[in-house]
Amino acid sequence: MTVYFIGAGPGDPDLITVKGAKLVESCPVVLYAGSLVPKAVIERAHPDAQVFDSASMDLDEITKVYTDAHKKGQDVARVQTGDLSIYSSLAEQTRRLNELGIDWKVIPGVSSFQASAAALGQELTLPEECQTIILSRASGRTPVPEKENLKSLAQHEATLCLFLSATLIRKVVRELSEVYPPHWPVCVVEKASHPEQRIIRSTLENIAHEMHKANIRSTAMIIVSKVFAIDDFVDSKLYDPTFSHACRKAKVVDSSD
């Protein structure tokens, strides 16, 4: 028996991996985050499968689903939004499973920061301009370690992707304004990959007002990055004719053939 933690992606039900979809279809027990995971993903479950919505469950109740399935030798598809490596509660669930001696595995998914970049049609790194992406959040009800405060992170001028921070946008602006000028580029993608997806392209000084005007308060990715304002950048070395590597070797063709 195994509990499979499956990243269902950011919203578009087709963005779940093939492996994840097959597990939802085959596992006799499906436990999903009902407030976030698209219904179309769970509709893949077998008609005879036990399906639980974890939206109203606490950790003890979730763990009971696992232990009951374990007693019956039934695999569990634990379906959560995005990718399990970021803000997913994976650690606290797997700690319980380890204590109980229950096997588990993780099936990766598409994160909302990736779906947001796709919606923007934007590479979040640019050659010789920005080569680092920082994934973080503003400090609110869930505190952030002091060394990871936004002002400190901003010093790097890396692309900054902020999860779970839409309601704290004024705090975000206040802290980042201690480092960045008012015209620093900011993009917000609400409900990335959903049919109702919305995009705001703005600056640090205007983004809070524009989000308030659009009534964007949740399910939004905030991306702060100079790459949004850079059009004149050098090409990468990947396809430079003078650059060779093991993955791309010159093919020599005999002209006599």
Side-chain angles (χ1 to χ4, degrees), residues 6-21:
I6 301 167
D12 182 343
D14 290 335
L15 288 180
I16 189 172
T17 65
V18 173
K19 186 171 185 176

Side-chain angles (χ1 to χ4, degrees), residues 133-146:
I133 299 170
I134 297 175
L135 309 180
S136 192
R137 61 181 295 173
S139 183
R141 286 194 305 172
T142 299
V144 171
E146 178 54 33

Side-chain angles (χ1 to χ4, degrees), residues 23 42 60 123 126 152 190-191 221 233:
L23 285 167
I42 305 308
D60 287 338
E123 184 176 354
L126 287 178
S152 174
E190 180 191 35
K191 296 185 177 180
M221 174 61 57
F233 56 89

